Amino acid sequence: FVESFVGADRALRRLALIRVDAALEAWADLGHDHCIAGEANLRNALAAMMAVNVDSLAVVDASGAVQGIVTLAGVRARTATAGSASLTSE
């Protein structure tokens, strides 16, 4: 019972602990109109993708330079492996 009760939110809580730059994928200049800071977390990235109905966001550094992309598939993959992998990016 407890596992089913707390398990529903477990994946979202894990996403809040993983930085976007930990799920960075190679940048392919596909004209991304939406971006997110690399130090944001994957929960924020997922919310941003859902808000604008896209499957990927450009990831930018503090100066605004594109470092790569974060994708919905990448967020899903990190969610599946977060239980056994490190939850934070150093």
Side-chain angles (χ1 to χ4, degrees), residues 56-75:
S56 64
L57 300 169
V59 179
V60 296
D61 63 15
S63 67
V66 176
Q67 301 299 303
I69 61 171
V70 63
T71 65
L72 185 55
V75 171

Side-chain angles (χ1 to χ4, degrees), residues 6-73:
V6 297
D9 190 36
R10 186 177 302 162
L12 287 176
R13 285 184 286 168
R14 280 189 209 148
L15 290 178
L17 299 174
I18 304 169
R19 286 176 46 142
V20 168
D21 54 12
L24 201 61
E25 298 178 29
W27 167 248
D29 190 1
L30 302 174
H32 282 82
D33 293 329
H34 306 284
C35 62
I36 192 163
E39 57 274 348
N41 63 52
L42 290 181
R43 186 175 181 174
N44 292 338
L46 179 60
M49 284 186 238
M50 291 175 67
V52 294
N53 198 30
V54 296
D55 291 337
S56 64
L57 300 169
V59 179
V60 296
D61 63 15
S63 67
V66 176
Q67 301 299 303
I69 61 171
V70 63
T71 65
L72 185 55

